[in-house]
Amino acid sequence: MKYKLVWYLISILIVSCVEQTKKETETLANTNLVDYVNPLMGTDSNYSLSNGNTYPAIATPWGMNFWTPMTSKMGDGWTYKYDENKIRGIKQTHQPSPWINDYAAFSLMAVTGDLKYKEEERASWFSHKAETVKPYHYKVYLADYDVVAEVAPTERAAHFKFTFPEAEKSYIMLDAFFKGSMVKIFPEERKIIGYCRNNSGGVPDNFHNYFVAEFDKDFEINHTWGDDWKLLENSTENEGKHVGGIIGFKTKRGETVHVKVASSFISPEQAQLNLNREIGNDTFDATKKKAKNAWEEELNKIQIEDNNTDHIKTFYSCLYRVLLFPRKFYEFNEKNEVVHYSPYNGKVLPGYMFTDNGFWDTFRAVFPFFNMMYPELNSHIMEGLANTYVESGWLPEWASPGHRDCMIGSNSAPIIVDAFLKGNVNKETATILFEAILKNATTSQGRPLSKKGDEMSSVGREGIDYYNTLGYVPYDVNINENTARTLEYAYADFTIAKMAEKLGKKDIADTFYRRSQNYKNVYDPSTKLMRGKNKDGSFQSPFNPLKWGDAFTEGNSLHYTWSVFHDIEGLIQLMGGKSEFEKQLDNVFTMPPDFDDSYYGGTIHEIREMQIVNMGNYAHGNQPIQHMIYLYNYANAAYKTQEKIRNVLTKLYAATPDGYCGDEDNGQTSAWYVFSSLGFYPVTPGVNEYVIGSPLFKKAIIRLENGKTFEINALNNSKENMYIQSVSLNGTEYDKNYLDFKSIQQGGTFNFTMGNVPNKDWAKTNNAVPYSLSKERKDN
């Protein structure tokens, strides 16, 4: 009897657990996905240690304007720091990175009582406990003024709602910021118009951001301030280096005042058109709902089913970041035609324009994600790149909003070629872009000038003449980060060859296939690592593989040795075979996190982020090595990829303010998570393959733009069951450790069976490994 009772209780417990799991899964399926997003992920950061270096972007996907609360002073790249406790205003922002900083920013702020309008004085205490942060809605209690401030976004406009206490004096102020601004108040129209010109570079001389703000309450007071915060009472207009406008009125407790705001890079008239078109007579709740629906539409294109809510929150928080940049820098004129203000020549021209992106980061996974999920969007981005080339003579490598002198490489090429090979570039655009990437690869003459009058080394290819004659950029010719440049140029050359081949340009293809082998010129067989090489052919000496910078970019030789995206088989041969290659990969993880920071004269944040995560010299917080874990697949040791991928997914990411392990960087570090948690990753953009890792979720449904769905199931998946036991594609056994683009686009079902012990026999044959140029040439 006692045993029967025990079994009865156990069966009830089992049924209860099953029902609870079922309920949790159903709850996840019925929840608004955007409400899993935490825009505060990564905001607990500072100059010396990045946990993301993000700010809460209140925006629609790829919106022209974002909005964010300001805890820091005007001009500070770290505009919102999670551990700060005062808010100075809610600003329109276009900042892609704290290191690039902002442009075209202005802010709104509400105060009560004695007028406080100077930035430091008006700042109000706030608490995260009285703060609502959603992609589509920001709400905060300004404790010093007993005011609740809210904002909901559209692509080019925003709707503010201020809830006031009973007060004889209540104010809303518009701060048009420094570096040139103007405000003009129209009390009879309840309106403020003006412009701001602040920027951090990359703009023509006629750059303006024109704004319009419409209120739903009569003004009883109107002031402006001018330079040096000089208040001009009862004035309606001011222009100078830094001006602002103030309007005031009496309020009753609980009274709401709404402000509808829009801007334009084209004209004041276009700003008004943007406001009328995107908000018009909509209520605040209607604007908020439209923004929420915009996010729901995009996030629902990948539906996750799992019992781990924390992982789901991290997934959608990362997906949100992937869908922010590059931002739309185009508008619709009175005829509803697509037009843009050119940040390259200052003209208003027809066609698409996108900006705020660093391709050194995003070529790796963000743009491959767009090619998989958003082919139409990416075709527009490609048209925008063609417009950039026509308007400036060069492709952008870092744009914000125009050319910025930041980072290295020629990574516009893989972005363009990957889109072209996947059918996302029309014929006319392809002709322009092929001309552009050939120009990048053949000359550096006539590059744009920086504000200082220097040639921008990040546009075109620094050291191209050396590279094209010697086959590498020398260490001893005063071109910094030379070995990193050589490796990135070689990969870009491979992608150029791929595009030329597709276009039927065999001679060009042959030339660039040869150049793509230039990575071998900086490989040192004595150390089995990439190493700086002098002009005379000798390797740099002394050589410390732990030295960050110098011959490399924000990394060391241990990180950059793997930057042979297109020919891992060739690298394996250089190292002496798969066993030695695998040993070299292992070494990065098993050695201590030692480093040499002498090149920088101090420990930069990227170094510190590597040091503290207990993963040896693996530096996931920066981009150069993020693909490296997947390279075990090329050595038929896929199980090591699986365990290390799962380790990074679960330990280095979380939907919390300290949720990244380094700079998020325009969606790239997030895109790594999105791809990797689904179970695969694009190691080689420009090739139609994804390398398989270890899926994090029990089920994921990808809804493609062509109407097809691709379903991924991971049977027996759990924290311990990280190893692939077997795989099937559409019911047929699958024994390759890569998945091709076509299989996804055709739709179907991809099933993993997972276990807690490695299956070292899965995908073990030489035919199971992903693409390498050397392998392709050998097979042919």
Side-chain angles (χ1 to χ4, degrees):
M1 184 69 184
K2 182 171 67 176
Y3 294 113
K4 288 183 178 180
L5 180 61
V6 169
W7 281 111
Y8 176 71
L9 292 173
I10 290 173
S11 65
I12 289 176
L13 181 62
I14 292 171
V15 170
S16 175
C17 289
V18 169
E19 287 300 315
Q20 180 63 28
T21 299
K22 185 178 179 182
K23 286 179 181 177
E24 287 177 358
T25 304
E26 287 174 353
T27 300
L28 295 177
N30 294 327
T31 301
N32 290 317
L33 297 182
V34 69
D35 289 327
Y36 286 120
V37 174
N38 183 6
L40 296 180
M41 182 175 174
T43 59
D44 186 10
S45 300
N46 56 49
Y47 180 87
S48 59
L49 183 68
S50 173
N51 288 310
N53 268 336
T54 62
Y55 56 85
I58 314 305
T60 57
W62 306 287
M64 189 176 88
N65 305 321
F66 300 170
W67 295 85
T68 195
M70 295 174 63
T71 66
S72 301
K73 66 181 180 180
M74 175 180 61
D76 189 335
W78 285 263
T79 189
Y80 180 98
K81 303 184 186 77
Y82 186 80
D83 62 355
E84 292 184 334
N85 44 39
K86 285 190 175 183
I87 283 181
R88 302 155 186 260
I90 299 174
K91 76 167 178 174
Q92 184 183 105
T93 179
H94 305 90
Q95 179 172 299
S97 159
W99 310 104
I100 292 293
N101 216 310
D102 210 347
Y103 65 91
F106 63 93
S107 71
L108 276 75
M109 180 64 176
V111 304
T112 57
D114 294 336
L115 177 59
K116 296 177 181 178
Y117 65 94
K118 295 179 182 179
E119 186 181 24
E120 296 288 341
E121 295 174 359
R122 74 186 184 225
S124 172
W125 280 83
F126 83 106
S127 168
H128 297 301
K129 299 178 183 66
E131 183 186 40
T132 300
V133 191
K134 302 290 183 183
Y136 58 89
H137 179 219
Y138 181 79
K139 179 180 181 180
V140 67
Y141 177 61
L142 303 174
D144 289 346
Y145 308 114
D146 196 19
V147 170
V148 174
E150 301 179 63
V151 64
T154 73
E155 285 192 346
R156 298 165 189 84
H159 203 145
F160 280 79
K161 177 183 177 182
F162 296 99
T163 304
F164 285 94
E166 184 168 347
E168 286 293 312
K169 299 176 182 178
S170 293
Y171 303 94
I172 297 175
M173 59 197 63
L174 191 157
D175 189 336
F177 279 29
F178 60 176
K179 299 184 180 180
S181 49
M182 183 274 281
V183 294
K184 191 171 183 178
I185 302 172
F186 295 89
E188 67 284 359
E189 298 180 44
R190 300 172 170 176
K191 181 186 292 188
I192 300 176
I193 67 168
Y195 63 73
C196 55
R197 303 195 66 200
N198 56 87
N199 65 84
S200 304
V203 299
D205 291 339
N206 67 347
F207 173 76
H208 289 74
N209 183 28
Y210 301 97
F211 54 75
V212 55
E214 294 182 349
F215 298 73
D216 68 348
K217 185 175 176 65
D218 289 335
F219 306 166
E220 297 175 18
I221 298 169
N222 46 263
H223 306 319
T224 65
W225 75 78
D227 294 343
D228 301 319
W229 297 103
K230 184 177 180 180
L231 185 65
L232 191 59
E233 295 185 348
N234 302 315
S235 63
T236 57
E237 189 170 359
N238 219 319
E239 186 173 14
K241 293 180 181 178
H242 178 193
V243 306
I246 305 166
I247 57 98
F249 30 66
K250 297 183 184 71
T251 54
K252 298 177 182 178
R253 181 154 194 83
E255 183 176 354
T256 58
V257 177
H258 295 83
V259 191
K260 298 176 180 180
V261 187
S263 66
S264 169
F265 295 104
I266 294 173
S267 69
E269 295 77 16
Q270 182 66 45
Q272 185 68 57
L273 183 60
N274 292 343
L275 182 61
N276 296 345
R277 181 181 282 136
E278 296 193 8
I279 296 183
N281 295 321
D282 284 351
T283 64
F284 180 83
D285 287 341
T287 302
K288 184 171 77 170
K289 184 177 181 180
K290 286 197 300 185
K292 184 176 183 178
N293 290 343
W295 280 109
E296 279 298 299
E297 181 179 352
E298 303 309 334
L299 298 179
N300 267 286
K301 289 176 180 175
I302 303 181
Q303 294 182 325
I304 301 298
E305 292 183 21
D306 201 80
N307 301 329
N308 191 315
T309 307
D310 288 338
H311 289 166
I312 290 178
K313 288 178 179 178
T314 304
F315 179 86
Y316 286 110
S317 296
C318 285
L319 184 55
Y320 149 79
R321 290 282 168 193
V322 176
L323 305 183
L324 288 173
F325 297 103
R327 81 172 65 254
K328 296 172 181 177
F329 202 76
Y330 61 86
E331 303 173 53
F332 295 90
N333 65 16
E334 66 281 356
K335 297 179 181 179
N336 213 33
E337 298 165 330
V338 175
V339 294
H340 66 271
Y341 165 81
S342 173
Y344 302 99
N345 64 20
K347 299 177 181 179
V348 177
L349 298 166
Y352 291 102
M353 180 62 62
F354 292 79
T355 191
D356 290 326
N357 218 249
F359 294 163
W360 185 82
D361 303 296
T362 55
F363 84 85
R364 305 166 195 270
V366 174
F367 281 92
F369 184 78
F370 292 166
N371 282 322
M372 182 176 79
M373 296 297 300
Y374 293 98
E376 183 179 14
L377 169 76
N378 212 26
S379 71
H380 294 163
I381 294 173
M382 294 303 115
E383 290 177 42
L385 289 181
N387 288 334
T388 297
Y389 176 69
V390 170
E391 293 162 25
S392 75
W394 295 91
L395 288 167
E397 299 296 338
W398 233 117
S400 181
H403 292 304
R404 296 295 295 278
D405 206 0
C406 182
M407 305 312 292
I408 67 157
S410 190
N411 299 305
S412 52
I415 285 171
I416 290 165
V417 174
D418 196 41
F420 172 75
L421 294 176
K422 290 179 170 64
N424 299 332
V425 184
N426 64 46
K427 186 175 181 180
E428 180 182 355
T429 301
T431 300
I432 296 170
L433 291 178
F434 188 65
E435 175 188 313
I437 60 177
L438 283 182
K439 180 178 179 179
N440 265 11
T442 53
T443 183
S444 62
Q445 298 299 311
R447 289 186 297 188
L449 301 179
S450 69
K451 291 282 187 180
K452 298 176 182 178
D454 303 321
E455 278 194 347
M456 288 190 175
S457 61
S458 65
V459 176
R461 294 188 181 185
E462 182 80 355
I464 188 63
D465 294 332
Y466 289 113
Y467 176 83
N468 286 345
T469 54
L470 298 176
Y472 60 94
V473 181
Y475 178 81
D476 58 349
V477 294
N478 295 317
I479 298 176
N480 63 346
E481 304 166 23
N482 38 79
T483 305
R485 294 181 194 275
T486 299
L487 293 169
E488 294 191 23
Y489 297 167
Y491 167 59
D493 286 344
F494 163 79
T495 63
I496 293 171
K498 280 286 183 185
M499 187 168 181
E501 189 173 58
K502 182 79 171 180
L503 291 171
K505 301 179 184 294
K506 185 178 183 304
D507 290 346
I508 295 175
D510 289 345
T511 296
F512 283 93
Y513 275 130
R514 285 194 300 272
R515 290 183 184 176
S516 76
Q517 296 294 294
N518 283 343
Y519 72 88
K520 296 178 180 178
N521 295 330
V522 289
Y523 177 80
D524 173 20
S526 70
T527 61
K528 298 183 179 178
L529 294 168
M530 300 298 175
R531 182 174 176 179
K533 198 172 198 179
N534 296 318
K535 188 178 178 181
D536 65 5
S538 62
F539 283 108
Q540 67 161 117
S541 184
F543 171 60
N544 180 0
L546 300 177
K547 187 175 184 179
W548 282 61
D550 197 21
F552 302 98
T553 302
E554 295 181 2
N556 60 32
S557 179
L558 295 174
H559 305 144
Y560 256 96
T561 290
W562 318 105
S563 292
V564 187
F565 306 94
H566 57 296
D567 197 14
I568 300 302
E569 175 62 28
L571 183 60
I572 288 172
Q573 292 170 10
L574 288 177
M575 288 187 176
K578 292 182 177 181
S579 177
E580 188 61 31
F581 180 81
E582 183 181 342
K583 188 188 302 181
Q584 289 286 87
L585 288 170
D586 288 341
N587 183 54
V588 173
F589 291 96
T590 57
M591 69 184 299
D594 296 333
F595 58 85
D596 175 354
D597 62 7
S598 60
Y599 176 77
Y600 299 108
T603 306
I604 62 174
H605 76 92
E606 289 90 349
I607 296 175
R608 190 69 70 207
E609 290 139 19
M610 176 202 75
Q611 181 194 29
I612 63 177
V613 297
N614 194 24
M615 290 189 180
N617 240 264
Y618 178 70
H620 189 82
N622 209 24
Q623 282 68 39
I625 203 171
Q626 286 181 350
H627 68 293
M628 173 256 201
I629 295 177
Y630 285 93
L631 303 190
Y632 283 105
N633 286 34
Y634 296 75
N636 298 113
Y639 72 95
K640 290 187 176 180
T641 289
Q642 295 156 28
E643 64 187 17
K644 287 178 170 57
I645 288 296
R646 189 67 72 89
N647 198 28
V648 172
L649 285 170
T650 56
K651 291 185 178 181
L652 300 189
Y653 289 83
T656 57
D658 64 345
Y660 293 102
C661 57
D663 282 354
E664 198 287 316
D665 281 333
N666 301 152
Q668 168 53 32
T669 300
S670 293
W672 187 96
Y673 184 95
V674 170
F675 266 120
S676 296
S677 64
L678 293 174
F680 51 91
Y681 185 79
V683 169
T684 313
V687 169
N688 291 334
E689 292 179 1
Y690 307 94
V691 182
I692 292 174
S694 176
L696 183 62
F697 301 111
K698 292 185 176 181
K699 185 174 184 177
I701 300 174
I702 300 173
R703 302 188 184 282
L704 300 161
E705 197 168 273
N706 62 12
K708 304 288 181 65
T709 60
F710 189 74
E711 183 177 308
I712 302 166
N713 297 292
L715 308 177
N716 304 324
N717 206 3
S718 68
K719 181 179 179 181
E720 296 77 19
N721 293 356
M722 66 183 74
Y723 298 105
I724 296 171
Q725 305 301 300
S726 63
V727 180
S728 68
L729 177 61
N730 299 326
T732 301
E733 182 181 353
Y734 193 84
D735 197 40
K736 298 175 182 176
N737 56 37
Y738 64 89
L739 178 65
D740 66 63
F741 175 77
K742 186 178 179 181
S743 294
I744 295 175
Q745 293 299 311
Q746 287 177 336
T749 304
F750 201 47
N751 287 338
F752 294 90
T753 300
M754 309 299 291
N756 61 4
V757 177
N759 178 2
K760 297 182 182 180
D761 292 328
W762 179 74
K764 188 67 175 177
T765 67
N766 288 333
N767 291 330
V769 301
Y771 175 92
S772 286
L773 179 60
S774 293
K775 182 174 178 293
E776 179 187 59
R777 292 300 172 93
K778 182 180 178 181
D779 291 345
N780 292 337

